[in-house]
């Protein structure tokens, strides 16, 4: 494990999904607080109809009073705390991803050494058998038979699989068997 990533790992912790979810919740708190601060104004605006006897008018927007101003500091502090929390969670997720990538790049022998397991002596694995290799070993008669059978299978498949003529005719028969008459009274099966 890289030294820079060690701070994010312990015996107990969160999954990447949980960390991401918590960061998303914190981001919603930030957006809510930013919305409150976005409409900050120190001016209260009132309107009234010309000639109206009312002197108070209708309030269009409220300016921040002392109570509103006292909330600004708390909103800013909470935004800063939530942003710091989000940064921590996102960095932890990135650290986990980097460690997983590093493990995935390890060979089996490196992994054994890294975790203190004895390295097993290598054995020769059997060669992968491919269709091309089998075909290459066939004589002319066998290869001709292979391609003939392949062509027959493809031709039959074309007609019996969905969308093929045989398949469509079968569906039509099943439909007419299950619904021998139409709504207009015409018989479908002779």
């Amino acid at each position: 494990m890289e030294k820079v990533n060690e701070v994010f790992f312990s015996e107990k912790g969160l999954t990447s999904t949980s960390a991401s979810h918590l960061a998303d919740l914190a981001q919603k708190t930030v957006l809510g607080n930013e919305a409150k601060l976005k409409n900050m104004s120190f001016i209260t605006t009132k309107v009234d109809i010309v000639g109206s006897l009312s002197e108070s008018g209708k309030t269009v927007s409220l300016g921040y009073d002392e109570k509103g101003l006292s909330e600004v500091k708390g909103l800013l502090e909470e935004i800063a705390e939530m942003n710091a929390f989000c940064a921590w969670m996102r960095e932890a997720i990135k650290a986990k991803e980097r460690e997983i990538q590093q493990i995935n790049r390890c060979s089996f022998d490196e992994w054994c050494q890294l975790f203190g397991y004895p390295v097993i002596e290598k054995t020769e694995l059997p060669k992968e058998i491919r269709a091309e290799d089998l075909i290459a070993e066939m004589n002319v008669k066998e290869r001709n038979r292979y391609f003939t059978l392949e062509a027959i299978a493809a031709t039959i498949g074309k007609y019996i699989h969905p969308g093929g003529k045989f398949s469509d005719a079968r569906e039509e028969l099943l439909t007419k068997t299950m619904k021998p008459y139409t709504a207009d009274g015409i018989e479908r099966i002779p």
Side-chain angles (χ1 to χ4, degrees), residues 172-181 186-190:
E172 181 183 19
L173 175 64
L174 290 173
T175 300
K176 288 184 179 184
T177 302
M178 297 305 292
K179 297 178 182 178
Y181 297 97
I186 299 172
E187 185 177 346
R188 293 187 180 178
I189 299 178

Side-chain angles (χ1 to χ4, degrees), residues 90-108:
R90 304 278 188 231
E91 285 301 313
I93 291 168
K94 283 192 252 179
K96 179 183 176 187
E97 289 171 0
R98 283 192 303 267
E99 292 298 324
I100 288 172
Q101 287 173 353
Q102 185 176 352
I103 291 291
N104 288 338
R105 285 191 301 263
C106 276
S107 70
F108 181 72

